[in-house]
Amino acid sequence: MSGSMKDVARRAGVSVATVSHVINGTRVVNPDTKQRVLKAIEGLNYVPNAAAKSLKSKESKTIKIILPKEGYLYQKEMHFALIDGMMSFWNGKRYSISLHQINYENEEEYSEVFLHTVDGMIVFSPTHELYHAISQRNVKIPCVILNYRPEDEEDGNFVEINHFHTMYHEVVKLLKKECHYIGYLENTDASRMNEECKDAYKDAFLQNKVSIVSELMKSIPASSEGGYEVAKSWLENKQVDAIICNDEQISLGVIRYLLEKQLDIPTIFYTNGTWGKLYEHGETIKIPCDTIALQTSEMLYQLLSKKDEDITNYQFRTEIVKTESPMYSLDKANQYIEEHRVSNASKWRQSYHIVPLVGWLNDPNGLVQFKDEYHVFYQYHPFGAEWGPMHWGHAMSKDLVHWEHLPVALAPDQLYEKGCFSGSAIENGDELILYYTAHDDSNKMKEVQCMATSKDGIHFEKKENNPIIKNISGEAAEDFRDPKVWKHGDEWYMIIGTSKNQDGRAVLYNSPNGMKWDFKSVVTTSNGILGDFWECPDLFALDNIHVLMVSSMDLKGAKNVFLIGDFDYNTGVFKKNSVRPIDHGRDFYAGQTFMDKQGRRVLIGWMNRWGESIPTQKEGWAGSLTIPREVKADKEGFIRILPVQELALLREEKMEINLDSVCNTLLPVNIKGNALEIVCEFELGKQVPDIFGLHVRKSKKGDEYSEIRYHVQKQELIMDLHNSGKIDKKESIAKVSLIGGKILKLHMFIDKSSIELFANDGSVSITNRIYPKESSVHVDIFAENGEVLINHLTAWKMKNIW
Ligand code: FRU
């Protein structure tokens, strides 16, 4: 992987402008510095992009960016983010960017602005002097001035970063949460930005008719100690119930105090989005650098298309940048689905499994029986058959097998989320609560836990005080997601998947009411053997054993496993005794369970996994959930996973085969269909065969089929997909011993693009997606080098529930 120009600048400890000078020879650079830059370029394997290289050639189309040499850390970081955005815009238009850092206080350096032949210019935050120097020169270069407000508003040509707008909304949000004592801390130097933020703060109080306590607004020099001391005095005297800061150093001090005292009050940091450490600990209001960069560049681009003579009075343009409104909403998603539903007649469209109406589905979420209905939510991207900004799709059923689609339940429509990631549901009186991870990867990745509630189980309202859990445990990495919530006694518990030092772990929070949560414990870790990162954890009891269920793509073999052992509610620690795959197929991931009102532990998984090719994408959809399965411990404490009995409600035409045995042959049987349930029992004959089994979804010619075979010697049950249709997936193998040394019971659910196979009363299962021809609907039975008795063989055509 190669780094960017910005990475080079960071590594060499110089500005992006210096890197540009070294690459393009536009300035003499101190030899040591140059050496550092060249080393960084080499170390990062940075290939100066075409635009940067073409700066050397006279024909290049070039945009000059002028920015100040001096600046606060805050400002520099914002400039990096803005330049990044501009570079990608202009590179896309095949323009080069030439960066010039000048000392805005030194008028002699202004000549730099007019030195080169360039097509257009963007000037960052000029001083009044610089602005006047540019406007008076009348150089006829299309120019956009960024972040500047002229004293005399008469021409008012600038792109203004609207600190006021961004801050105002955050303060109003706090006031609405009943935080009326909001400490406001700024650094004494940050002048104009401070004024705007402060105005917004005051205005928010005024508009909401809350009086301001003026002692709670403080300007202090930028230092972490300063932040610490002020936070300490405010909080010791109980003067504030929230804190806002617009300086990184000060914010770090505030956070240090809060962490030391384990205090959890709303904290807001005004930032351009790169104050990494703060992300874990508080809310950040992000200056929308992407939007600003795009808007400034587009403006300039439009100016460039004007003829020279038209430009004189159009050198500058005016616009105020506002925070983006969210791109996604429930309405947008539901309308899209309505207009783009995939036909159920498509070749691989499932008949009785939950699949999305259109678009992409992954993990099952929020499995619950609420009032009398079963609800299944799922990770959903309606707008394309590939993974994208996550919504929660929703289906409901009265009997766990006849499902109906409901409107999308959650859309990433809040400023704190770019995706609503996996989570769970719980019935609380007459309310249904969803817990989910708000995922934001727009800058440094950030994951926090949120909740939404509903009275009717269909329309959900996200809570005002979201996020309810921020990642402050110190026991978790940035990946911190998939909350599974349950009640035990009077307490509520939430288990979350994460990692530390690239080792998977699950952490536990508890709460007296489901609203306010405290970190309790690290439940257990992968300890170097069970994956680098855990997703979708679930913890439950089966009689007197405890099961911790985790998914990790880094696991060898099955990616979703049960850790079986003991869990102690006092310490919050799980002690593992053994580990077993939940399913031996390739397509079982991110399983989740719930306890229904009959006391059954029901499990549903995502019947795919990351990184595989999914031919249904061509049909405009991807992803299926498994059938619901019941998880039980038998008398010996052995866990069995069985299809729920309600699946029998989907049986239609019955096909019973009267066949005593097969010996050394392959025999077509009179079962036909692409959506079938098959139940059969084999028994070893006198002459024990090497292998025996069935072919399902077999073509008439016999060239396509999925083979289910038992290898007697090896005691292996195999689902062999070498010939099963589009994309081979080789084979999935499970160790199974025959009952009484001679009997194999199979129970199979076949749908238009899947096979779920259960053996010997749920002691193992194998689940795989297959993509056969539509006409491959035949079944046959075989035994090689011996005889197998068929104690019974029955099949049913399954209903199409959609
Ligand atoms: C598991 C997972 C979850 C995450 C979701 C995102 O498949 O990666 O950890 O919440 O998918 O769609």
Side-chain angles (χ1 to χ4, degrees):
M1 227 176 65
S2 60
S4 68
M5 194 152 168
K6 196 163 96 183
D7 299 330
V8 173
R10 289 228 170 99
R11 165 120 22 139
V14 299
S15 68
V16 175
T18 308
V19 177
S20 162
H21 290 315
V22 171
I23 294 171
N24 301 304
T26 35
R27 278 269 193 91
V28 179
V29 176
N30 164 314
D32 283 348
T33 313
K34 188 168 174 179
Q35 230 16 65
R36 275 213 317 277
V37 172
L38 292 175
K39 248 179 120 180
I41 288 178
E42 208 186 327
L44 286 165
N45 192 19
Y46 169 64
V47 183
N49 56 36
K53 273 187 180 158
S54 65
L55 270 176
K56 288 181 182 166
S57 93
K58 288 274 180 309
E59 311 116 55
S60 68
K61 300 195 284 182
T62 308
I63 299 303
K64 178 190 283 203
I65 294 181
I66 305 282
L67 64 157
K69 216 178 249 169
E70 304 301 331
Y72 310 112
L73 180 65
Y74 148 80
Q75 204 177 27
K76 280 192 191 144
E77 289 193 341
M78 185 172 80
H79 288 165
F80 270 140
L82 289 167
I83 291 168
D84 244 13
M86 291 179 183
M87 279 191 162
S88 59
F89 177 95
W90 293 103
N91 285 351
K93 301 256 182 287
R94 303 195 158 272
Y95 273 79
S96 318
I97 283 192
S98 164
L99 289 172
H100 297 256
Q101 275 190 303
I102 62 172
N103 179 357
Y104 282 7
E105 306 303 323
N106 180 356
E107 294 192 15
E108 277 168 29
E109 291 197 19
Y110 292 178
S111 54
E112 175 79 21
V113 177
F114 312 105
L115 251 182
H116 305 92
T117 324
V118 291
D119 300 277
M121 199 157 69
I122 294 172
V123 183
F124 281 39
S125 323
T127 53
H128 294 312
E129 291 71 27
L130 176 56
Y131 170 73
H132 288 301
I134 298 172
S135 55
Q136 279 155 23
R137 275 294 267 274
N138 198 10
V139 281
K140 279 204 183 183
I141 298 173
C143 174
V144 173
I145 303 245
L146 174 61
N147 201 25
Y148 177 71
R149 180 184 294 166
E151 298 148 317
D152 41 0
E153 291 281 333
E154 65 204 37
D155 54 2
N157 299 315
F158 56 92
V159 173
E160 176 67 8
I161 300 175
N162 197 337
H163 298 293
F164 184 96
H165 176 86
T166 329
M167 175 61 80
Y168 178 86
H169 288 280
E170 293 304 317
V171 180
V172 170
K173 263 207 266 170
L174 280 180
L175 292 173
K176 287 221 168 99
K177 279 191 212 168
E178 301 296 314
C179 287
H180 288 180
Y181 297 96
I182 307 174
Y184 186 88
L185 257 175
E186 63 182 19
N187 115 33
T188 35
D189 295 328
S191 63
R192 205 180 79 219
M193 178 188 91
N194 279 356
E195 291 315 311
E196 289 167 19
C197 288
K198 231 173 354 200
D199 284 350
Y201 173 89
K202 288 185 196 151
D203 229 50
F205 277 80
L206 208 70
Q207 300 296 330
N208 286 272
K209 304 197 172 49
V210 181
S211 39
I212 303 185
V213 182
S214 52
E215 300 83 79
L216 297 186
M217 297 181 70
K218 277 197 184 332
S219 275
I220 59 170
S223 81
S224 150
E225 289 69 34
Y228 184 94
E229 287 310 321
V230 177
K232 181 167 182 238
S233 84
W234 277 345
L235 286 156
E236 274 181 355
N237 300 317
K238 298 205 176 359
Q239 283 175 288
V240 294
D241 42 28
I243 297 181
I244 295 180
C245 288
N246 60 12
D247 176 90
E248 185 186 12
Q249 290 310 315
I250 299 178
S251 304
L252 282 171
V254 171
I255 278 301
R256 190 155 48 83
Y257 181 76
L258 293 175
L259 286 177
E260 255 174 50
K261 299 288 171 220
Q262 299 211 358
L263 291 172
D264 188 14
I265 59 163
T267 41
I268 292 192
F269 310 115
Y270 188 65
T271 150
N272 51 62
T274 54
W275 294 354
K277 279 173 248 152
L278 296 175
Y279 265 101
E280 297 160 25
H281 303 305
E283 273 313 292
T284 43
I285 314 176
K286 276 193 262 167
I287 301 168
C289 293
D290 307 2
T291 322
I292 299 166
L294 193 71
Q295 201 167 327
T296 313
S297 304
E298 292 237 330
M299 248 183 232
L300 184 59
Y301 191 61
Q302 279 175 27
L303 282 182
L304 296 183
S305 63
K306 294 199 188 301
K307 287 200 224 85
D308 252 15
E309 44 291 14
D310 294 340
I311 286 179
T312 337
N313 301 319
Y314 288 96
Q315 274 179 345
F316 309 122
R317 290 262 317 267
T318 307
E319 203 105 358
I320 303 258
V321 178
K322 295 227 164 88
T323 339
E324 279 170 278
S325 59
M327 281 175 59
Y328 296 98
S329 68
L330 293 174
D331 283 349
K332 188 172 163 185
N334 289 321
Q335 191 178 336
Y336 183 89
I337 296 164
E338 206 39 58
E339 289 164 6
H340 294 85
R341 282 165 175 254
V342 173
S343 155
N344 282 337
S346 307
K347 179 160 58 166
W348 293 309
R349 207 72 191 141
Q350 301 274 62
S351 298
Y352 59 95
H353 284 84
I354 295 177
V355 286
L357 283 167
V358 56
W360 166 278
L361 161 156
N362 56 283
D363 315 354
N365 294 155
L367 308 183
V368 70
Q369 189 173 8
F370 174 57
K371 298 181 180 157
D372 286 330
E373 268 119 7
Y374 291 103
H375 291 257
V376 163
F377 301 82
Y378 49 87
Q379 287 286 280
Y380 186 31
H381 178 228
F383 307 106
E386 49 310 298
W387 189 86
M390 281 289 116
H391 295 58
W392 275 37
H394 189 184
M396 188 176 82
S397 167
K398 288 201 183 307
D399 60 9
L400 261 183
V401 293
H402 289 89
W403 295 97
E404 83 181 275
H405 283 288
L406 291 180
V408 170
L410 301 177
D413 51 11
Q414 303 295 310
L415 288 172
Y416 49 77
E417 61 200 13
K418 292 278 177 283
C420 300
F421 273 21
S422 286
S424 53
I426 193 164
E427 182 175 43
N428 185 35
D430 63 349
E431 217 180 38
L432 180 59
I433 310 183
L434 305 183
Y435 292 93
Y436 71 97
T437 299
H439 167 95
D440 180 356
D441 53 12
S442 50
N443 243 296
K444 186 176 185 287
M445 188 167 99
K446 186 183 171 199
E447 295 190 329
V448 291
Q449 317 313 325
C450 291
M451 70 192 271
T453 56
S454 167
K455 290 274 186 223
D456 63 3
I458 299 176
H459 303 95
F460 291 85
E461 210 175 286
K462 290 182 184 162
K463 285 290 171 201
E464 275 276 310
N465 53 340
N466 277 344
I468 47 159
I469 297 184
K470 293 173 199 156
N471 186 357
I472 55 167
S473 70
E475 294 293 350
E478 285 164 11
D479 291 292
F480 176 65
R481 58 177 179 263
D482 311 337
K484 173 78 197 295
V485 174
W486 72 100
K487 290 182 204 167
H488 179 81
D490 292 337
E491 283 282 294
W492 296 54
Y493 292 85
M494 180 191 290
I495 189 166
I496 299 173
T498 183
S499 71
K500 190 173 181 179
N501 305 327
Q502 270 126 51
D503 195 44
R505 59 174 51 201
V507 292
L508 190 69
Y509 283 72
N510 66 347
S511 164
N513 52 18
M515 304 275 287
K516 206 179 158 339
W517 294 86
D518 293 310
F519 175 77
K520 181 165 173 78
S521 58
V522 175
V523 180
T524 188
T525 71
S526 144
N527 210 4
I529 47 172
L530 291 172
D532 54 355
F533 166 61
W534 283 357
E535 305 186 291
C536 306
D538 192 353
L539 178 60
F540 54 88
L542 283 180
D543 300 337
N544 46 16
I545 50 179
H546 282 102
V547 178
L548 170 62
M549 181 169 147
V550 297
S551 291
S552 176
M553 283 307 293
D554 188 44
L555 277 165
K556 300 226 160 44
K559 311 290 180 204
N560 198 176
V561 292
F562 281 159
L563 276 57
I564 299 160
D566 301 310
F567 176 67
D568 179 346
Y569 273 96
N570 292 323
T571 57
V573 172
F574 179 88
K575 286 222 163 53
K576 165 188 92 182
N577 299 325
S578 61
V579 181
R580 66 160 264 186
I582 296 178
D583 188 284
H584 295 261
R586 205 190 135 88
D587 292 305
F588 191 101
Y589 195 70
Q592 185 180 97
T593 73
F594 72 106
M595 169 89 94
D596 79 351
K597 291 184 179 172
Q598 303 171 29
R600 288 183 297 181
R601 178 63 55 183
V602 179
L603 164 71
I604 295 180
W606 172 32
M607 197 156 43
N608 291 88
R609 65 152 72 165
W610 296 111
E612 69 180 4
S613 66
I614 306 181
T616 64
Q617 285 173 321
K618 285 220 174 86
E619 294 180 355
W621 67 284
S624 170
L625 298 183
T626 64
I627 52 171
R629 305 168 180 199
E630 188 181 346
V631 187
K632 284 183 183 171
D634 66 14
K635 282 196 215 94
E636 286 78 43
F638 181 76
I639 296 179
R640 295 181 181 272
I641 305 177
L642 292 147
V644 296
Q645 65 197 27
E646 286 90 333
L647 284 154
L649 298 171
L650 301 181
R651 291 172 178 170
E652 286 187 328
E653 186 192 331
K654 184 173 179 182
M655 294 161 278
E656 202 154 357
I657 306 301
N658 289 315
L659 183 70
D660 294 337
S661 66
V662 271
C663 182
N664 243 333
T665 184
L666 183 144
L667 207 67
V669 291
N670 195 16
I671 298 174
K672 253 173 90 174
N674 57 14
L676 295 171
E677 178 185 350
I678 303 177
V679 181
C680 57
E681 187 177 303
F682 295 100
E683 184 172 339
L684 301 183
K686 281 215 182 70
Q687 188 200 339
V688 174
D690 291 345
I691 55 170
F692 64 88
L694 308 94
H695 290 153
V696 297
R697 296 301 310 265
K698 180 169 172 167
S699 62
K700 208 162 193 156
K701 273 203 289 180
D703 56 338
E704 186 173 277
Y705 55 88
S706 299
E707 178 169 292
I708 287 141
R709 68 170 179 270
Y710 187 76
H711 195 294
V712 180
Q713 274 252 300
K714 293 190 185 155
Q715 304 202 344
E716 281 175 357
L717 178 64
I718 298 155
M719 191 185 291
D720 185 338
L721 305 178
H722 278 102
N723 299 304
S724 68
K726 202 148 182 91
I727 67 166
D728 341 311
K729 290 202 204 151
K730 307 196 183 108
E731 48 191 32
S732 309
I733 304 176
K735 277 267 172 216
V736 188
S737 27
L738 297 177
I739 301 172
K742 55 182 184 184
I743 286 180
L744 177 71
K745 293 183 180 178
L746 297 181
H747 193 171
M748 228 173 299
F749 288 84
I750 295 169
D751 204 341
K752 286 163 77 183
S753 53
S754 62
I755 306 179
E756 291 162 277
L757 170 67
F758 300 83
N760 287 352
D761 304 311
S763 46
V764 298
S765 63
I766 303 181
T767 299
N768 280 307
R769 298 298 298 279
I770 51 164
Y771 305 98
K773 290 197 279 270
E774 233 170 339
S775 54
S776 298
V777 290
H778 303 280
V779 175
D780 48 40
I781 303 245
F782 64 90
E784 270 178 29
N785 295 329
E787 184 192 33
V788 70
L789 312 179
I790 317 289
N791 292 346
H792 63 80
L793 168 58
T794 310
W796 291 267
K797 287 211 162 118
M798 296 292 267
K799 187 167 169 184
N800 189 334
I801 62 163
W802 306 113

